[in-house]
């Protein structure tokens, strides 16, 4: 199957700093990638849809100025958590589908963010 | 996941068969996916139903009934390693997925 690589897998940062998370499709092109957040024992909540070459589409209630998404190429999307607060501590996961498909989504390994 | 409902917990013994049900809202519905997630890991794809009927992949099968807005995941010959969370996800034709709250499956010896 297709591979999505997410980096870093774990990060600890201080309150007020920014953290960048990368999501790469290694062996396929992804015009669209999706960013999710998951709190312990809860579901995956879609934060935004990242579109190559255009602005991301954010879900209701997600602050676009706080969670900056850039999708500069067909294989890379980045999520930057700006001015991080302890309540931003969560598991962030990206996913992508092979271009032109709507069935199987391939997930990155996830990033465990801890803001102290 | 406010647009999908699935049981929160299921317990079964090794070798048994278990069925995890999922009902969903039809607005924008394109297909139903199932994912497995172990503690601390990322979700992995199990199965997808775009049309009514049964899809079989080894020990796992998934079923969809569009007229009933209902699907299920069937796990056969349960093994201890199948203990995990299972999510149904509603797909739109844009490829966006909305996840249910997940079902925690515990397999006992």
């Amino acid at each position: 199957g297709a591979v999505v690589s997410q980096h870093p897998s774990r990060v600890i940062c201080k309150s007020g700093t920014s953290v960048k998370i990368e999501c790469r499709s290694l062996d396929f092109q992804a015009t669209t990638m999706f960013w999710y957040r998951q709190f312990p024992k809860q579901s995956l909540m879609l934060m935004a849809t990242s579109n190559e070459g255009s602005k991301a589409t954010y879900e209701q209630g997600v602050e676009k100025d706080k969670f900056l998404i850039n999708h500069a190429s067909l294989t890379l999307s980045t999520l930057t958590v700006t001015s991080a607060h302890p309540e931003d501590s969560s598991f962030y996961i990206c996913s992508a589908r092979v271009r032109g498909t709507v069935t199987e989504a391939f997930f990155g390994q996830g990033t465990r963010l801890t803001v102290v | 996941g406010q647009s999908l409902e699935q049981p929160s917990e299921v317990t079964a013994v090794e070798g048994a068969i278990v069925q995890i049900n999922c009902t969903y809202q039809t607005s924008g519905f394109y297909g139903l996916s199932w994912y497995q997630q172990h503690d601390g890991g990322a979700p992995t794809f199990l199965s997808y139903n775009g049309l009514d009927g049964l899809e079989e992949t080894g020990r796992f099968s998934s079923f969809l009934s569009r007229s009933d807005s209902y699907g299920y995941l069937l796990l056969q010959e349960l093994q201890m390693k199948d203990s995990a969370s299972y999510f149904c996800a509603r797909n739109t034709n844009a490829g966006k997925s909305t996840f249910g709250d997940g079902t925690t499956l515990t397999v006992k010896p």
Side-chain angles (χ1 to χ4, degrees), chain A residues 32 34 36 38 41-46 49 59 91 93 97 101-110 112, chain B residues 1-2 30 33 35 37 39-43 45 48 87 91-102:
Chain A
T32 305
F34 304 91
Y36 294 85
Q38 185 179 36
K41 305 297 183 185
Q42 293 188 22
S43 184
L44 287 79
M45 298 303 296
L46 180 65
T49 302
E59 295 300 302
F91 192 49
I93 315 171
R97 286 186 166 85
T101 69
V102 293
T103 56
E104 180 173 357
F106 300 94
F107 283 82
Q109 305 94 317
R112 179 79 56 193
Chain B
Q2 65 271 25
Y30 193 82
S33 298
Y35 293 85
Q37 186 181 31
D39 270 351
F45 174 82
Y48 173 81
F87 294 90
N91 295 12
T92 70
N93 60 2
K96 191 163 86 168
S97 295
T98 303
F99 284 74
D101 287 339

Side-chain angles (χ1 to χ4, degrees), chain A residues 9-65:
Chain A
S9 58
R10 289 181 180 273
V11 59
I12 300 173
C13 71
K14 293 184 177 180
S15 288
T17 62
S18 295
V19 173
K20 180 185 285 188
I21 303 169
E22 291 187 350
C23 181
R24 292 181 186 272
S25 56
L26 296 187
D27 51 1
F28 67 100
Q29 293 184 336
T31 52
T32 305
M33 292 184 176
F34 304 91
W35 287 96
Y36 294 85
R37 179 167 56 181
Q38 185 179 36
F39 292 106
K41 305 297 183 185
Q42 293 188 22
S43 184
L44 287 79
M45 298 303 296
L46 180 65
M47 299 175 66
T49 302
S50 172
N51 305 297
E52 188 267 335
S54 65
K55 290 183 178 180
T57 306
Y58 290 82
E59 295 300 302
Q60 192 172 9
V62 177
E63 300 174 59
K64 61 179 67 175
D65 294 331

Side-chain angles (χ1 to χ4, degrees), chain B residues 8-37:
Chain B
S8 58
E9 295 181 344
V10 172
T11 301
V13 296
E14 265 188 305
I17 299 172
V18 73
Q19 179 173 313
I20 300 174
N21 298 322
C22 175
T23 57
Y24 59 86
Q25 290 184 1
T26 57
S27 175
F29 178 82
Y30 193 82
L32 194 71
S33 298
W34 289 91
Y35 293 85
Q36 179 193 62
Q37 186 181 31

